[in-house]
Amino acid sequence: MTSSPYDVLLRTLDPESRRENALPELDRKPDPWESSMQATCECLSWRGALDNLARRHAEDALGETIYHDFPVHTRSVVVTAHTLMDHGLIVPDELRARMDAVRERFNRD
């Protein structure tokens, strides 16, 4: 099996998660991390590092293909990471290390 730089993202899908398919699941208040991520994307766009329209088009395309099994509310973050890797702004090993550090903080007693 061939390894892809995006495996780091694909492996984040919890086997217990499922794609939303009902309006109540889709129509909800965003979690704080979602609002922070959107604000970060706005700043990256403002500074010219990540065009918002291109990111949204990528979210539509990749969210229905590569990341179709991810819950809708999490697709924006995996597509943003995917796009940042495409632009060379972050590499898979760096992303994996940061994700491991965050998991470690969450799993502390």
Side-chain angles (χ1 to χ4, degrees):
M1 176 166 34
T2 307
S3 179
S4 162
Y6 309 109
D7 286 347
V8 65
L9 299 172
L10 293 169
R11 291 185 183 135
T12 63
L13 181 62
D14 183 346
E16 301 295 317
S17 70
R18 62 178 181 74
R19 184 176 177 170
E20 302 91 336
N21 58 14
L23 186 57
E25 295 172 324
L26 295 169
D27 188 26
R28 63 176 186 70
K29 181 179 178 189
D31 291 330
W33 69 265
E34 293 172 90
S35 299
S36 294
M37 198 243 1
Q38 291 298 329
T40 300
C41 287
E42 291 294 329
C43 290
L44 289 169
S45 180
W46 176 64
R47 300 302 276 169
L50 181 64
D51 181 69
N52 265 337
L53 184 57
R55 179 182 58 84
R56 289 183 179 135
H57 285 305
E59 191 173 326
D60 290 342
L62 296 173
E64 290 301 321
T65 56
I66 295 174
Y67 302 113
H68 69 277
D69 289 333
F70 282 74
V72 172
H73 69 278
T74 62
R75 288 184 196 167
S76 59
V77 73
V78 293
V79 170
T80 298
H82 183 114
T83 304
L84 291 172
M85 285 193 289
D86 281 351
H87 290 200
L89 298 172
I90 190 166
V91 297
D93 289 339
E94 180 183 6
L95 180 58
R96 187 176 295 105
R98 289 176 187 245
M99 289 168 57
D100 289 345
V102 169
R103 282 189 189 103
E104 184 178 315
R105 278 185 275 170
F106 278 119
N107 293 325
R108 288 184 188 155
D109 294 332

